[in-house]
Amino acid sequence: HKTIVMITVDRNKCPHDHICPLINICPEGAITQGVDGYPIIDYSLCIECGLCIRKCPMRAIKQI
């Protein structure tokens, strides 16, 4: 049974005015982009590898 760690988008740090680079970085395809430009994390696909947290250039993805 895996512990659920919520990975969230800090909307104050995410510029949301470009194609999110994390879409192509996520190995599970768990990140998409909403019409407002913010990344959306599909928790049913996320394996909590932390790659998006480490690779976000704006440090806008975090664990809570």
Side-chain angles (χ1 to χ4, degrees):
H1 166 35
K2 87 176 185 179
T3 306
I4 295 186
V5 177
M6 294 297 284
I7 294 173
T8 63
V9 178
D10 183 339
R11 289 180 167 233
N12 294 317
K13 290 184 179 177
C14 178
H16 69 94
D17 61 355
H18 61 281
I19 303 237
C20 178
L22 303 178
I23 293 169
N24 293 322
I25 288 172
C26 178
E28 298 300 312
I31 300 175
T32 55
Q33 199 161 6
V35 291
D36 59 3
Y38 288 105
I40 299 168
I41 298 162
D42 182 337
Y43 296 107
S44 69
L45 296 175
C46 177
I47 58 169
E48 299 170 3
C49 66
L51 203 53
C52 58
I53 295 169
R54 293 191 303 276
K55 296 287 186 178
C56 177
M58 302 307 292
R59 303 267 182 253
I61 305 288
K62 57 187 179 182
Q63 236 171 287
I64 58 167

